[in-house]
Amino acid sequence: MEIWGKEETPSGLVWQGVSHPVAESGIHWRVHTLWWEPGKAIWREYVKVATGTGLLCLLYRDMLMGGWFLARVYD
Amino acid sequence: MSPLPGYAHGRLVPGSGLRLEMTAAGYVELHCHSYFSLLDGASSPEALVERAVALGYPALALTDHNGLYGAVRFWRAAQEHGLKAIIGAEVSVNSEEHLTLLAETQSGYANLCRLVSTGQLAGQKGQPRLTVETLARHAQGILCLSGCRQGAVPRALLERNMERAHRAAAQLREAFGPDRFWIEIQRHYLPTDTRLTAALTSLARKLDIGLVATNNVHYASRSGQRLHDVLTCVRHHATLPEALGAGLLHPNSEQFLKSPVEMAALYPDLPEAMRNTLHIAERCEVSLDFTAQRLPAFPVPGGHTPGSYLRHLCEQGLARRFNPITPRARAQLVHELAVIERMGLAGYFLVVWDIVRFAREQGIRCQGRGSAANSLVAYLLDITPVDPLRHNLLFERFLSEGTHTTPDIDVDFAADRREEVIQYVYERYGKEHVGMVCNVVTYRARSAVRDVAKALAFPPDVIDRAAKALDTRSATEAAEDVSSDPLVPSDPEDPSLPWQLLSSILRQMGGVPRHLSIHVGGMLITAAPLVEVVPLERATMPDRVVVQWDKDSVEDAGLIKIDLLSLRTLGVVTEALAHIRAQRGLDLDPAEADVRSLVPSSPFSQGLNNLSLDDPAVFDLLQRADTVGCFQVESRAQAQMLPKLQPTRFEDIVVGVALIRPGPIQGGMVHPYLRRRQGLESATYAHPNLEQALAETLGVIVFQEQVLRVAMVIAGFTPAEADGLRRAMGRSRSEEAMAALRQRFLDGARGNGVNETAAEEIWQQLAGFVGFGFCKSHAAAFALVAYQTLYLKAYFPAEYYCALLNHQPMGFYPPEVLIGDARQHSVPALHPDVNCSQAACTLERVSPPDQRQAQEHLSKQGILESPTGPGDLQRSREDLAIRLGLRYLHGLGEAGQERIVERRGDESFRGLRDFCRRTHLSRPVVENLIRAGALDSLGRSRRDLLWALGGLVYQEEDLDLDVPVAPVTLPALGRVERLAWEYELLGLSPDDQVVAPYREALRAAGLLTSVELAAKRDGETVQLAGWAVVRQRPPTAKGHVFITLEDEEGLTNLIVRPHVYERYRTVLRNAPLLWIEGRLQREGHAISVLVRRAAALSDLVRDHP
């Protein structure tokens, strides 16, 4: 699975071998917590996107390590 | 961060206000919390200012919760950095709704203070309350922002209650006016931000209210989130995981001061919200310089101005104090009055004079201390007790026109009556104009470790151990301690405790406020109603109100405070004088008119307030360190120092008082001074220029003002810079300031051709003085009280000790030592007695034959008489004894004391039955009275009385019946047992000492008494035993422990090196009676024992009965 695009807003993702360009992206929100647990700190920026292929996904950017990740695909 | 093209920020132009350049990317933070939002903000006001400046803000607002605690620090820091300070607060309306208020004008500031005060005083402590009606009444000059998510409007919108939101917004718009109310938009990357923003924007458009962007800042930079989370935990008494689970932590780390670029990126759709921050900032103009407000108008008699009335009072004082009036005194007075007039401080002196006058009229003993004693005017007004001309004190140390400092007059009052003086001030100037200064209690090592470790979910026992093992007092030093190995326990079960994390957070805890308390005695009196200058809030003391600024902020705001302090010794002196009057018909403190009526030929013609300060009896006590019970000169350290110092003049006492302080001790001054005093080395000066400043103290820095002189002479400090050094030395947050001053000093010294090593050495001596040196005038004022107490002890020991015993606890030694010392001075102590005692200690005449008998009795018991000294010939043989009061009986209580005195009335108790039936005290209490010896005068042995008590039946209401008791011969009460009972129930034995019963056995084993020790040579090995009355481990002594041992003949000072202490720690810490073997150390007349071995005496006695 791979996500490409600009730093602030991904423009598409590859999931299950298929390419899904992002058609619309919603609001961004950030979570920063668990800094007191070694190795378990969470600092992420989430965004819900709707793809041109009809998927609704929750993506997040890892603010500590960099890179975008897929959190959920909604039915 | 490079500035955007076209973006510029204004700079503070002196005198012309601030010009702001408005561009699309400009921004001012208008909603910002410092750590004065207690346990909710993580950054200091200074850190916020520095960050704002680094980000290019032209201005910054400070809006702490319901208070302006940090406003002065904020304002000052802003001025120093060329940033405009906007003063505001986030207030609680209707208990829970937050609202942001900013002061637009000076009168708006006054209203802001009023509102914050009203909210604080209306609610209970810690739960302030305001209503919109109140807001509306005092809205003039205030700008209002709708607040964070806890504001009335946003909260209603989040609950989807459009109507309520509209109503709330309309109300506020009405209260403040359409051009003084904005809707705050905050974007913290929260899921509901978008919805809320849309609703707020739409509402604002409908009601024609402007929008403003804020970031609700709680920490200066993103990394502050951690400390903020921890403080949130402390506030809720939770651990971090618990707080997270309960939704108490802010979900992310966005509440920091963001750059204008970052903020602009957050509001691309609302450029007006950004612009409005600049609009609002430009409108606000508030100054926190209240120099003009500093004094209340003092009501002077008709025809006078404050200046002329002051001159009039000084003329009277001059005639009284100087007979004849010398040209020097006259010239000095003229000079001082001129300076006082130019600085507009005549009223201030009159205010203090009036308070002191009131106190004296009420018979409350008082005297000024500190730098005020440099002033002749203060002396003439009877505020301070020392003649500055006689002691070569410099007026400029107190008041100097060059430096913009506010003078500080501190006055000590007899502790037991100070409250009356405080009440007088409130009444005289009105509750509106008087307030107590607050004290900000910040996190220190222990409290910081406890609270932070708890938040990090450390186990309680680990926290306890860690906190107790700390050697340091500051939180930042604790961070070091915690991260170094010895403190990290190797616990196999929990190797993963986050010690490094604890350490990194502790490092940020220095200076973080925990809570406020009242500063002892600091009072503000202002011309304008106080509530328009600084907000008030409730103190924990009922009916007391405190201002939200501490003494530093008060000073920096240009206000003057008066410190009304309490000193128990003054109460002791007052009582002693009363006893002397009663017992001898001698009035040593007559009213002014009667001073001349004292018989000139009598040895006591001077009165206590006019002593000539050259009495040989006083200096004899000092030279022998026979100073138990005397002010400032009785401590162990003083007792070690005085025999080396060998004082012969009053000036020596002044030096002695100033020398034994952490300042000179840490600066390494004490030993050099004493060596030079004893002629063991000559006075040397690190630089020839220092000779003038340091000659009177043999080249050694002793007084605080000498520190300033050295800085000026060696490094070319200007008077203003030297004053800055004084302030940095005197304040809790001096560390950063001192580092900067060190650089300045070294640079200046280099410029003056002083070599590097010498300069560094001199700086070390100066730096060692941080905060804890006495200025000479202060030492002189204290030395005067010391002299008075020595005088009283020398000539009227019975009266003096009696007064001392009635003002415990105080001083360096417990009552037990005072009794022992009294005995050494031929003043016996008598048991508290149900027939003879009052609640307080009193004096009884013991007729000479009885007294001789009493002395013989004491001699027989091995308690020797005190050695005679030169003063003895002058003093009449004492015929007074101290009758210990009933209050010295443990467990009797005030009610019990009163009952005994009351039921006794004019008729003594005739026997045990009579006593019990008249007082109806409970059986256990009567038993204790018997064991303590309080019923000895009934004529039976204590054992007998206890036996009889067993058979006695008596009750409150019922008839009293006897059960006949068969007479029994009981063994006499042993001496040791009696001592044990008395120490248990009185804390002392009036006519015996706990070591005395063992003396025979001790002598047989080769142990010496404290008097015999004095005959030994330096270096000899000695053994002794005694009662450990004082144990000290001063932080300045690098792990050394000092113990004062008492036997029936006196006191001995023990010195315990750290490794010896470790070896015998349990015994030295806990055993009340010690056996000691060590090496005698003698330096001239000063003796101490360097401990080599120690044991509990009880263990040895048990083994060798």
Side-chain angles (χ1 to χ4, degrees), chain B residues 25 45 54 124 175 236 281 324 409 416 463 470 537 558 603 773 834 866 977 988:
Chain B
Q124 294 171 322
H236 291 280
I409 299 187
D416 47 355
I463 299 178
L470 285 172
E537 64 180 57
V834 297
S866 63
E977 200 173 356
L988 52 91

Side-chain angles (χ1 to χ4, degrees), chain B residues 682-693:
Chain B
S682 49
T684 57
Y685 303 91
H687 193 278
N689 291 357
L690 290 176
E691 189 167 343
Q692 206 202 13

Side-chain angles (χ1 to χ4, degrees), chain B residues 678-889:
Chain B
Q678 295 175 289
L680 297 172
E681 70 182 47
S682 49
T684 57
Y685 303 91
H687 193 278
N689 291 357
L690 290 176
E691 189 167 343
Q692 206 202 13
L694 300 180
E696 72 172 321
T697 49
L698 308 178
V700 168
I701 303 175
V702 173
F703 301 116
Q704 200 175 68
E705 59 265 62
Q706 288 174 321
V707 173
L708 307 188
R709 288 287 301 158
V710 168
M712 286 163 69
V713 161
I714 295 288
F717 274 44
T718 64
E721 285 177 304
D723 202 60
L725 177 59
R726 177 193 66 80
R727 278 144 60 92
M729 277 175 17
R731 291 189 178 191
S732 42
R733 56 183 188 278
S734 66
E735 288 172 33
E736 312 91 40
M738 288 302 283
L741 286 160
R742 172 175 173 276
Q743 199 49 56
R744 163 79 183 84
F745 181 84
L746 292 177
D747 293 341
R750 198 179 315 124
N752 272 344
V754 179
N755 87 64
E756 193 95 24
T757 1
E760 183 66 57
E761 208 183 288
I762 298 174
W763 175 256
Q764 283 310 315
Q765 293 174 353
L766 299 187
F769 254 79
V770 174
F772 300 119
F774 276 173
C775 64
K776 186 176 171 190
S777 58
H778 180 77
F782 267 16
L784 187 69
V785 179
Y787 188 95
Q788 290 170 343
T789 58
L790 287 160
Y791 181 87
L792 290 171
K793 176 175 173 172
Y795 289 103
F796 307 100
E799 291 89 337
Y800 185 63
Y801 282 113
C802 185
L804 266 180
L805 288 166
N806 278 331
H807 281 80
Q808 297 296 308
M810 67 170 277
F812 192 77
Y813 298 104
E816 200 258 356
V817 173
L818 297 176
I819 300 268
D821 197 65
R823 233 186 348 251
Q824 300 296 327
H825 288 81
S826 309
V827 179
L830 306 170
H831 283 86
D833 186 277
V834 297
N835 275 327
C836 306
S837 292
Q838 303 296 318
C841 304
T842 50
L843 292 163
E844 278 181 20
R845 291 211 167 263
V846 185
S847 60
D850 287 351
Q851 217 235 350
R852 243 183 285 118
Q853 249 178 40
Q855 298 219 317
E856 277 165 29
H857 173 67
L858 294 179
S859 302
K860 279 210 190 96
Q861 298 202 320
I863 300 168
L864 303 176
E865 289 185 53
S866 63
T868 55
D872 271 275
L873 297 171
Q874 295 253 50
R875 285 169 263 164
S876 53
R877 224 27 181 156
E878 290 308 325
D879 54 356
L880 289 170
I882 300 171
R883 171 67 67 186
L884 288 176
L886 298 173
R887 69 156 65 120
Y888 270 88
L889 291 159

Side-chain angles (χ1 to χ4, degrees), chain B residues 828-1026:
Chain B
L830 306 170
H831 283 86
D833 186 277
V834 297
N835 275 327
C836 306
S837 292
Q838 303 296 318
C841 304
T842 50
L843 292 163
E844 278 181 20
R845 291 211 167 263
V846 185
S847 60
D850 287 351
Q851 217 235 350
R852 243 183 285 118
Q853 249 178 40
Q855 298 219 317
E856 277 165 29
H857 173 67
L858 294 179
S859 302
K860 279 210 190 96
Q861 298 202 320
I863 300 168
L864 303 176
E865 289 185 53
S866 63
T868 55
D872 271 275
L873 297 171
Q874 295 253 50
R875 285 169 263 164
S876 53
R877 224 27 181 156
E878 290 308 325
D879 54 356
L880 289 170
I882 300 171
R883 171 67 67 186
L884 288 176
L886 298 173
R887 69 156 65 120
Y888 270 88
L889 291 159
H890 296 335
L892 182 56
E894 251 182 73
Q897 295 162 25
E898 269 168 35
R899 191 188 290 185
I900 292 177
V901 173
E902 199 188 287
R903 303 283 169 96
R904 178 177 76 212
D906 291 327
E907 231 183 278
S908 304
F909 300 111
R910 288 183 303 273
L912 180 63
R913 190 185 333 157
D914 185 42
F915 177 75
C916 291
R917 288 183 179 167
R918 280 161 70 183
T919 62
H920 297 291
L921 290 170
S922 73
R923 202 171 289 272
V925 169
V926 177
E927 199 177 291
N928 280 348
L929 291 179
I930 294 171
R931 287 165 62 212
L935 275 74
D936 280 357
S937 64
L938 297 181
R940 288 160 80 175
S941 83
R942 296 183 196 179
R943 280 250 163 82
D944 275 356
L945 287 170
L946 286 172
W947 186 255
L949 179 66
L952 199 58
V953 177
Y954 67 99
Q955 277 164 26
E956 269 292 0
E957 306 296 327
D958 299 5
L959 288 174
D960 301 324
L961 299 166
D962 291 352
V963 173
V965 172
V968 148
T969 329
L970 295 164
L973 183 62
R975 184 180 184 184
V976 172
E977 200 173 356
R978 186 168 79 93
L979 274 169
W981 286 359
E982 290 182 356
Y983 270 74
E984 178 198 330
L985 296 165
L986 295 172
L988 52 91
S989 170
D991 52 14
D992 203 351
Q993 208 273 347
V994 70
V995 180
Y998 302 100
R999 184 52 63 194
E1000 240 179 84
L1002 295 175
R1003 187 161 278 134
L1007 275 68
L1008 303 171
T1009 68
S1010 52
V1011 168
E1012 286 163 358
L1013 262 184
K1016 289 294 169 185
R1017 284 192 317 270
D1018 183 50
E1020 281 193 59
T1021 299
V1022 293
Q1023 292 181 356
L1024 64 150

